[in-house]
Amino acid sequence: IYTFPYCFLRHARSRNYVSESEVCKLESMPLDFGDYHPLKPITVTESKTKKMNRKGSTSSTSSSSSSSMMDPLSSVLDGTDPLSLFAAAADPVTTAPPMDGARRKRDKDESSAVGSDFEPWSSKRGEILARYTTTEKLSIVSGKATTTGSAVSEKVRTRLEELDDLEEGSQKELLNLTQQDYMNRIEELNQSLKDAWSSDQKVKALKIVIQCSKLLSDTTVIQFYPSKFVLITDILDTFGKLVYERILSMCVDNRVSLPDNFSPESVNDTAKETCLNWFFKIASIRELIPRFYVEAAILKCNKFLSKTGISECLPRLTSMIRGIGDPLVAVYARAYLCRVGMEVAPQLKESLNKNFFDFLLTFKQIHGDTVQNQLVVQCVEIPLYLTLYSPAIDWILQCIAYHAPDVLLTEMMERCKKLGNNALLLNSVMSAFRAEFIAARSMDFIGMIKECDESGFPKHLLFRSLGLNLALADPPENDRLQILNEAWKVITKLKNPQDYINCAEVWVEYTCRHFTKREVNTVLADVIKHMTPDRAFEDAYPQEKFLPFLDMFQKESVRVEVCKCIMESFIKWLEDLGTFYLSQVSFGRDFEQQLSFYVEARSMFCNLEPVLVQLIHSVNQLAMETRRVMKGNHSRKTAAFVRACVAFCFITIPSLSSIFTRLNLYLHSGQVALANQCLSQADAFFKAAVSLVPEVPKMISVDGKMRPSDAFLLEFLCNFFSTLLVVPDHPEQGVLFLVRGLLNVIQDYTWEDNSDDKVRIYTNVLHLLSAMTQEAYIYHVDKVDSNDALYGGDSKFLAEINKLSETVVSQILDHLKTLGKEESLKRQSQLALYFFNTILAHGDLRNNRLNQLSVNLWNLAQKHGFADTKTMVKTLEYIKRRSKQPEMSHFTELALRLPLQSRT
């Protein structure tokens, strides 16, 4: 495969883009609605169910009239024992109620995930672990090591006996652990879980999870409980993932795994039975807390059994939490249920809301004798105790408030009022809901804050939370001054400097946004008063408060950083203001006056890069607007005008510091020049872009973080190639001079050692060269003759393309050869399949040598067991479908030459 000579594009597939487009269109089918009507009630017909035997096969159907012996235990429990419930839930036919349209919609969306605007739990765990610490000694229950003899005996125990073994005789307690020792032990248990699972000791893995879950019922060191919850639920998450992936792996049929949005009907009996077995084991756990947590951890596995399984389990698990007596333990159980609920069924908001409202109904337990006595024993004050609830309540409310309408906030506010405007809940509500909703009700929240009982949760924290919302969204204009006065009346009375500055810093931003220098000076004066004990700055600077405010930062290095932050904010404000200003200025149809304005603005904002970028885009837009007005037929005057626009951009782009901004603007401006028939100017832009590529650094700053630049360069070059298809050759520069120049730059560019981007670029070049060999290109620029018109399929032109393609293919094959070492075989497999797909799409596989190359690449992709079986199967299915199309019969023979190799 590495040495066989190929001339790829001499055998490029001839394309008829019009007919291909027709083939790809969706087929329209007439619908016969018959008796169907969208408002007609849905009728559900009862059907007989099937029973699964232990081997996963299907037994004969059972009759509803058949009799069975009465189970004395079931008769006592009235059929509500956990195993019966799970068995019933596993049968979607007998349990599924009639579904209306909304219910169907929810089922369809069951696999939908939350968006990137939802702050994940992973971003919160570090803060919780850092905040909730202890110096007291901790204890932990630890299971004894499993010997070979006990492993043999486990095989003959019943499921219930196995779990009882954990609860009764196989554990010991480790006492007097420091916090770090405790965390180390939890990490050891997490690793033990993974080791047990990998060694196929599933029962032992379950025991470890149960053992860890039990720790969540222990509140002897109560101030550490939030951190304990984080550590233990990490183990639960690991267990849930292992179980789900194990069952999913059992669903692979003929090397085809289930799609992401699979239905229970596509799950085989063996996988379903294994899944049921896990739920039966968990239902046998006798203690409530571990039974709840372990079942919640594998909640997602209900997808294998029933479409409605998750939606039915969530309310039941919510009700189970009512049996947990300790309110702190209960609220964290609710938080965990919300976590898994948002992951597997974020659309089931009803269960999340019910979960929180259950908590509100039991909130009075916090002030009951049991909790108060516990706090006395542990010497914990009520303010500290209440802060332990914050992570759980904040998370629950974040889940509830995600994409919720503002009417839900109104309901939450009413419930807070009924609970006496509890400060803890009110603070969580303001932290969870959208800032726009909070800002619109600012005066209502201030009224509730004023009526709060300050014992346990100080009001200034509530004003801080309100201020954080008002920094993101503006309140009603008529309320702004009153809001500031009400907030500052509380803030200015704070004696503790740390409390004061934490709250004041939020409201300083609010004051700067909405008021004049006078109010800002007043606020800064108050900050100086509180933060400088001798009030020296008031006497020294009676008129101006900003400088004495800066003088409080005595350490030189700190003061420099503060000044940098101030200047960055000021410059950012100038940039935003300048960009907004440019977007608002219009001279109507007087395009020349508009361009003159942009030229003047460039001299005024020469040091503000975002403004310069906006100017370039505005001038390009001006050129395209001129083209639109002239309908593409430029007069001598308008042709000169668009050339002036192009010259403005060409002169301005080099002054920008961001290299990718320059590259993209060169490309964009070149496209604008080409669209306006400014061919020589377009060439100048594209040449500038080509010459800039070698200057791209290995690392670039993205959102303040240094990232490798390869991915950004790859994206740019792919866009560049798409443009070069329609760029005509310069009469004095030779055939494909821009493509050749770009390829030379790519060849000389220093790529990362473990990067395959260079080869991916070369493969994309083959796409371009293949498109260039067609008699008519797939797209054109209006009133610009591309190379298909200039050369008209000239043999010399095609010969040049063939020589270029031979060089590119040679480079690709040489790179594949270098990936023959063990550590790079996976990359070799991926690239071989990538190149195979290129030949499949663009090559004429009736040619024997090209056909053989594709077979070699297919075999190379699978040779070392790194191929994605699912992808290979789909690719082969595509080839077989294509073979049924006209002029594609040769694909039938090709499919026979492409074996699917097993990984073993």
Side-chain angles (χ1 to χ4, degrees), residues 784-893:
V784 173
D785 288 334
S786 298
N787 284 338
D788 55 345
L790 292 181
Y791 293 107
D794 180 74
S795 59
K796 292 182 179 179
F797 173 67
L798 295 178
E800 289 295 324
I801 295 179
N802 287 330
K803 289 180 183 178
L804 207 55
S805 67
E806 286 181 1
T807 303
V808 172
V809 171
S810 175
Q811 292 283 339
I812 295 173
L813 295 179
D814 287 346
H815 185 80
L816 282 172
K817 186 176 181 179
T818 65
L819 299 178
K821 299 178 182 178
E822 185 175 355
E823 65 274 8
S824 55
L825 291 177
K826 184 175 182 179
R827 290 164 53 199
Q828 185 187 61
S829 172
Q830 293 172 341
L831 284 179
L833 185 59
Y834 190 62
F835 190 24
F836 171 85
N837 285 326
T838 292
I839 296 176
L840 191 65
H842 300 282
D844 185 355
L845 290 172
R846 287 172 295 192
N847 176 267
N848 291 334
R849 296 202 297 177
L850 201 57
N851 193 297
Q852 184 59 48
L853 174 60
S854 66
V855 173
N856 291 350
L857 289 168
W858 177 270
N859 292 331
L860 181 63
Q862 300 182 95
K863 183 176 181 180
H864 300 286
F866 289 103
D868 181 0
T869 305
K870 184 176 180 180
T871 302
M872 303 296 284
V873 169
K874 286 186 175 181
T875 304
L876 190 55
E877 290 175 350
Y878 165 78
I879 294 172
K880 291 177 180 177
R881 285 198 306 271
R882 288 290 306 276
S883 68
K884 299 176 183 178
Q885 297 176 2
E887 300 181 4
M888 288 293 174
S889 58
H890 58 285
F891 269 36
T892 303
E893 182 184 353

Side-chain angles (χ1 to χ4, degrees), residues 215-236:
L215 297 175
L216 291 174
S217 62
D218 176 25
T219 57
T220 50
V221 184
I222 202 165
Q223 62 268 34
F224 185 64
Y225 191 86
S227 290
K228 180 196 290 187
F229 172 80
V230 168
L231 298 170
I232 300 300
T233 52
D234 282 350
I235 295 178
L236 287 162

Side-chain angles (χ1 to χ4, degrees), residues 330-345:
V331 76
Y332 276 93
R334 298 186 190 283
Y336 187 68
L337 189 57
C338 286
R339 270 178 58 188
V340 295
M342 285 298 286
E343 179 185 350
V344 301

Side-chain angles (χ1 to χ4, degrees), residues 514-787:
H514 299 298
F515 299 99
T516 65
K517 176 183 174 183
R518 175 176 170 273
E519 287 82 9
V520 174
N521 268 340
T522 302
V523 170
L524 291 181
D526 195 64
V527 173
I528 295 168
K529 173 183 174 181
H530 282 76
M531 302 306 294
T532 307
D534 58 1
R535 305 184 184 180
F537 294 114
E538 284 189 72
D539 296 331
Y541 303 99
Q543 299 299 321
E544 182 58 56
K545 308 301 180 185
F546 189 69
L547 291 178
F549 175 75
L550 288 180
D551 285 341
M552 287 191 297
F553 301 95
Q554 297 294 324
K555 192 174 181 180
E556 190 64 28
S557 59
V558 175
R559 183 182 297 185
V560 169
E561 289 302 316
V562 170
C563 291
K564 281 183 179 179
C565 290
I566 293 170
M567 288 306 298
E568 286 174 0
S569 299
F570 180 71
I571 291 171
K572 180 66 170 64
W573 176 76
L574 271 181
E575 290 171 349
D576 293 343
L577 184 64
T579 303
F580 174 77
Y581 169 61
L582 291 175
S583 66
Q584 298 302 305
V585 176
S586 173
F587 291 87
R589 295 292 289 268
D590 192 346
F591 291 172
E592 291 184 344
Q593 186 64 31
Q594 189 82 36
L595 180 59
S596 298
F597 166 75
Y598 289 147
V599 172
E600 185 177 353
R602 180 176 59 185
S603 63
M604 294 171 57
F605 299 106
C606 59
N607 293 319
L608 299 179
E609 185 155 316
V611 179
L612 293 178
V613 172
Q614 177 63 38
L615 279 170
I616 294 169
H617 284 304
S618 297
V619 171
N620 277 327
Q621 186 177 0
L622 188 62
M624 294 305 293
E625 181 65 13
T626 305
R627 178 182 182 274
R628 186 190 67 81
V629 170
M630 299 300 295
K631 298 181 180 179
N633 299 309
H634 283 299
S635 65
R636 180 176 299 179
K637 182 177 181 180
T638 59
F641 176 77
V642 294
R643 284 196 294 271
C645 292
V646 168
F648 175 98
C649 297
F650 191 78
I651 294 170
T652 309
I653 292 174
S655 63
L656 304 175
S657 61
S658 171
I659 193 164
F660 277 103
T661 300
R662 278 185 279 161
L663 282 171
N664 286 312
L665 285 175
Y666 274 135
L667 179 57
H668 178 63
S669 301
Q671 292 166 344
V672 171
L674 197 63
N676 284 281
Q677 299 111 54
C678 301
L679 301 185
S680 60
Q681 289 86 349
D683 281 347
F685 279 115
F686 297 142
K687 285 180 182 177
V690 170
S691 63
L692 191 58
V693 169
E695 299 179 23
V696 174
K698 295 295 174 289
M699 304 292 289
I700 58 173
S701 178
V702 180
D703 296 330
K705 297 180 180 179
M706 298 305 293
R707 303 283 177 84
S709 63
D710 286 5
F712 297 94
L713 183 56
L714 177 61
E715 180 183 6
F716 167 77
L717 290 174
C718 290
N719 290 335
F720 201 175
F721 291 140
S722 299
T723 301
L724 290 180
L725 174 63
V726 294
V727 177
D729 279 345
H730 193 285
E732 299 177 1
Q733 298 290 342
V735 176
L736 302 180
F737 72 103
L738 284 174
V739 177
R740 292 178 187 276
L742 190 55
L743 282 174
N744 290 334
V745 166
I746 294 170
Q747 173 66 25
D748 296 336
Y749 186 81
T750 305
W751 300 88
E752 295 292 335
D753 293 338
N754 60 345
S755 171
D756 299 315
D757 287 336
K758 182 177 180 179
V759 170
R760 293 186 183 277
I761 291 171
Y762 279 148
T763 308
N764 284 322
V765 171
L766 291 179
H767 301 170
L768 169 64
L769 296 176
S770 174
M772 284 182 164
T773 64
Q774 306 302 316
E775 290 186 10
Y777 292 171
I778 188 171
Y779 50 82
H780 295 86
V781 176
D782 189 30
K783 295 181 173 57
V784 173
D785 288 334
S786 298
N787 284 338

